[in-house]
Amino acid sequence: MHDTPLFTRAAKKEPVLKNVFYTCHYFTYLPKIHYLCNSETNYTFHTMQEKIIILDFGSQTTQLIGRRVRELNMYCEIVPYNKFPHGDKSVIGVILSGSPFSVYDEKAFKAELAEIRGHLPVLGICYGAQFMAWTSGGNVEPAASREYGRALLTEVNGADPLMKGIKPGSQVWMSHGDTITAIPDSFSVIASTEKVRIAPYHINGEQTWGVQFHPEVFHSVDGTQLLRNFVVDICGGRQDWSAESFIDTTVAQLREQLGNDKVVLGLSGGVDSSVAAVLLNRAIGKNLTCIFVDHGMLRNDEFKNVLHDYECLGLNVIGVDASAKFFAELAGVTDPERKRKIIGKGFIDVFDEEAHKITDVKWLAQGTIYPDCIESLSITGTTIKSHHNVGGLPEKMNLRLCEPLRLLFKDEVRAVGRALGMPDHLIKRHPFPGPGLAVRILGDITPEKVRVLQEADHIFIQGLRDHNLYDKVWQAGVILLPVQSVGVMGDERTYERAVALRAVTSTDAMTADWAHLPYEFLAEVSNNIINHVRGVNRVCYDISSKPPATIEWE
Ligand code: XMP
């Protein structure tokens, strides 16, 4: 194992499988098609926009490399290790990612670099560095002691352009089982740590470097500096990728491609579909019709409030209250997967019916974002996010797909939303599962239970906002437990429901920690819920992290 995954779930030794674990047992009611090739909206500007190509060898941090490069306002694309876009003149540099494999593994991914090295600046990270050293006649061996975590640079050749501004003592993050033990004469060591002599190297006479540590992770203190040295100084990146430039080019592109065609888009209230709608609205105005379905499992007044927000944003939006249909279909259903399927199918039926009322629709727009689409995530042969495809909405409706955000990371989607003038409360919304409160009511669903949960949830979320805690947590909500317990209110014995509060911190929902909210705040929320929500006499706080728990209870 060479690029042992850096994060907790790595213990499973299935770095790619994390994505499967994360998603495939869910049924998102807004089906998304994930491969770039499936979307018909071609953005020719991508061939004009200068870019860094990240060749993905399956590392858990490949996406992180992409995010770091984008944070430098440089456009980049992540492609599988064997799909370099030869002939694309807009590529100004190449980064090779890490990998779960050893260069010696039979299954190790091996890229053909002959047409890349020497023609374009190249930076190999971890496995990427080992692969280039090994294929150039160097030696790679299992490290005497495996190196994970922090290390300090002891010697640095500050004259090398990759190491500009990086001093001895700088902390770097290691995560590898193999190490480079010998390099050809044409390679120079440009920094070392106590245990790793060849921490980064430079291939003389070539614009090619390799680093054993991970500059993309937060704990490599000068990692951004190193990436900037590569992307800006060495590759000559103009750093012209910004939310504003993205909007200008995408709007122009959408106008050209969609012409006078009509487009439908399903709004969920979430950030991605909302930003996609506003962007499309800017491009094609009333030719975009948005459909927002209330399945009855939304938060308190959410349908009304979000619909109002959408109208204020000038969107042409149809709100459909289909809650009665969903309550009827969900009656008596306790199995979480059944609930998801019922809601998924119901959503598609309602959406389809509404969309058919609009004449001459040609396109279905979706808020698919980059992490959903990175084809390379399945390079080890594992299908990811299959749940997003289950609905089959695009197939059923026989529409062409338009996914204007499909090259953006989540934080970029938010930046685009902000630049489009969307209000903060829409942009900063916590993630909310497609099946909504249905998966937060353990057991069967009734309108009365939804009412109880909506009220408790409202108190918790409003409390977070009032105490300036909302933006400090990744996601929060209340779960209605299938238990009743004894309490006493006034002189009366009560036998009522219990709810659990759940608030987590996270960066991507793949791992999460319970949010350490102040006791006083929890006490206030608990009191408010018990005093104001009829039917609840007990409040618990969920202090489980993910893994081993998940964020949602079902
Ligand atoms: P878990 O519970 O696996 O959730 O830790 C991770 C993230 O996914 C959200 N989630 C869903 N989102 N449809 C969705 O669109 C679903 O069925 C679903 N289930 C969980 C969850 O809220 C969290 O943000």
Side-chain angles (χ1 to χ4, degrees):
M1 298 287 290
H2 304 284
D3 186 32
T4 303
L6 297 164
F7 307 112
T8 356
R9 222 120 60 48
K12 289 181 181 288
K13 297 201 172 151
E14 288 165 344
V16 178
L17 219 61
K18 70 186 186 333
N19 301 296
V20 180
F21 179 83
Y22 168 44
T23 50
C24 74
H25 54 292
Y26 300 123
F27 185 91
T28 295
Y29 67 88
L30 213 57
K32 294 177 181 176
I33 296 292
H34 288 278
Y35 297 103
L36 302 186
C37 53
N38 283 347
S39 190
E40 286 193 40
T41 329
N42 294 314
Y43 296 90
T44 45
F45 74 90
H46 292 137
T47 57
M48 309 305 293
Q49 170 86 45
E50 62 175 30
K51 62 171 90 101
I52 298 287
I53 287 292
I54 299 165
L55 285 185
D56 183 11
F57 290 83
S59 168
Q60 205 187 24
T61 58
T62 304
Q63 282 200 44
L64 206 49
I65 303 173
R67 282 173 60 177
R68 293 286 169 265
V69 172
R70 296 266 185 104
E71 279 162 20
L72 293 167
N73 295 112
M74 258 311 298
Y75 181 66
C76 63
E77 280 179 20
I78 299 174
V79 301
Y81 68 97
N82 54 359
K83 295 209 175 146
F84 185 81
H86 292 288
D88 182 345
K89 297 272 179 287
S90 62
V91 180
I92 59 163
V94 184
I95 298 179
L96 317 183
S97 82
S99 173
F101 292 116
S102 158
V103 289
Y104 297 108
D105 282 339
E106 243 173 60
K107 290 186 182 159
F109 301 130
K110 299 197 167 66
E112 182 46 72
L113 300 179
E115 286 181 37
I116 302 175
R117 264 182 57 186
H119 301 276
L120 285 167
V122 177
L123 174 67
I125 295 177
C126 199
Y127 173 91
Q130 294 165 4
F131 179 73
M132 287 195 291
W134 183 65
T135 48
S136 306
N139 199 23
V140 172
E141 290 175 40
S145 59
R146 290 150 80 86
E147 274 232 310
Y148 304 111
R150 84 190 65 232
L152 300 180
L153 293 180
T154 47
E155 288 167 46
V156 178
N157 174 359
D160 188 278
L162 189 71
M163 302 311 286
K164 191 184 86 182
I166 303 174
K167 303 253 172 322
S170 177
Q171 175 179 294
V172 296
W173 205 255
M174 295 284 184
S175 179
H176 58 106
D178 279 3
T179 195
I180 304 166
T181 51
I183 43 176
D185 290 345
S186 56
F187 284 40
S188 306
V189 177
I190 52 171
S192 307
T193 68
E194 201 182 311
K195 288 190 186 159
V196 178
R197 187 176 70 85
I198 308 160
Y201 63 73
H202 182 181
I203 304 183
N204 305 329
E206 264 184 45
Q207 296 278 78
T208 305
W209 286 260
V211 271
Q212 182 57 75
F213 57 85
H214 288 266
E216 70 276 21
V217 308
F218 172 76
H219 293 94
S220 286
V221 173
D222 290 316
T224 303
Q225 175 69 32
L226 188 148
L227 290 172
R228 181 183 294 111
N229 290 343
F230 180 71
V231 163
V232 181
D233 295 353
I234 295 170
C235 300
R238 286 197 299 264
Q239 296 182 284
D240 54 3
W241 174 254
S242 65
E244 288 75 12
S245 68
F246 170 83
I247 294 169
D248 289 348
T249 357
T250 309
V251 164
Q253 197 70 39
L254 287 167
R255 281 186 185 145
E256 193 186 317
Q257 297 206 322
L258 300 173
N260 205 23
D261 288 353
K262 288 193 184 159
V263 180
V264 280
L265 178 144
L267 284 168
S268 67
V271 183
D272 303 344
S273 63
S274 304
V275 173
V278 176
L279 189 60
L280 271 155
N281 184 49
R282 184 170 286 191
I284 59 166
K286 296 297 171 217
N287 272 347
L288 170 72
T289 305
C290 303
I291 300 174
F292 183 27
V293 179
D294 182 3
H295 53 35
M297 310 294 143
L298 298 175
R299 292 189 144 124
N300 204 28
D301 287 336
E302 184 165 29
F303 185 62
K304 194 177 78 192
N305 294 341
V306 175
L307 202 55
H308 177 71
D309 282 337
Y310 286 147
E311 282 159 1
C312 291
L313 284 165
L315 295 181
N316 176 18
V317 56
I318 300 171
V320 189
D321 178 359
S323 47
K325 163 189 165 71
F326 285 90
F327 275 119
E329 290 177 7
L330 286 166
V333 177
T334 55
D335 174 59
E337 291 309 286
R338 283 271 314 131
K339 290 180 188 174
R340 284 191 163 84
K341 292 220 162 79
I342 290 170
I343 294 178
K345 180 171 179 313
F347 173 83
I348 289 164
D349 290 346
V350 174
F351 186 89
D352 193 32
E353 195 184 321
E354 287 304 318
H356 270 97
K357 293 181 189 161
I358 312 162
T359 47
D360 239 5
V361 178
K362 295 226 166 56
W363 297 82
L364 172 71
Q366 297 192 142
T368 314
I369 67 170
Y370 203 36
D372 299 332
C373 322
I374 299 174
E375 189 179 6
S376 55
L377 285 176
S378 65
I379 60 177
T380 56
T382 318
T383 311
I384 58 152
K385 297 203 173 191
S386 56
H387 71 295
H388 284 307
N389 285 323
V390 227
L393 185 54
E395 295 83 353
K396 177 166 178 174
M397 298 181 69
N398 199 19
L399 294 175
R400 300 165 78 183
L401 261 186
C402 168
E403 299 176 312
L405 306 180
R406 75 189 198 286
L407 292 165
L408 300 190
F409 289 107
K410 191 80 172 187
D411 39 2
E412 293 175 314
V413 172
R414 292 203 166 101
V416 166
R418 228 167 264 126
L420 285 166
M422 293 172 66
D424 247 23
H425 67 268
L426 259 188
I427 292 169
K428 289 188 175 170
R429 287 169 77 92
H430 290 167
F432 187 65
L437 301 181
V439 290
R440 294 188 181 162
I441 295 173
L442 274 52
D444 70 320
I445 295 164
T446 63
E448 169 61 5
K449 287 184 186 174
V450 172
R451 192 264 316 153
V452 169
L453 185 53
Q454 280 178 334
E455 290 181 10
D457 180 86
H458 178 69
I459 289 172
F460 185 33
I461 298 297
Q462 193 54 46
L464 286 168
R465 289 191 197 282
D466 294 345
H467 289 261
N468 288 327
L469 292 167
Y470 185 86
D471 292 338
K472 300 204 166 85
V473 302
W474 165 267
Q475 190 168 2
V478 180
I479 296 97
L480 185 65
L481 305 181
V483 290
Q484 284 177 280
S485 73
V486 174
V488 53
M489 280 171 128
D491 291 332
E492 300 272 312
R493 174 189 187 275
T494 61
Y495 188 60
E496 292 181 334
R497 297 180 195 287
V499 295
L501 311 180
R502 181 77 164 135
V504 295
T505 54
S506 178
T507 50
D508 52 14
M510 291 181 190
T511 58
D513 195 9
W514 59 279
H516 294 218
L517 296 174
Y519 284 170
E520 299 69 29
F521 169 72
L522 291 171
E524 184 183 313
V525 171
S526 168
N527 271 343
N528 280 341
I529 290 179
I530 293 174
N531 288 338
H532 294 107
V533 182
R534 205 165 19 89
V536 176
N537 68 354
R538 197 171 292 270
V539 175
C540 317
Y541 188 49
D542 181 350
I543 53 167
S544 334
S545 62
K546 171 183 177 176
T550 49
I551 296 175
E552 304 295 344
W553 280 41
E554 282 197 337

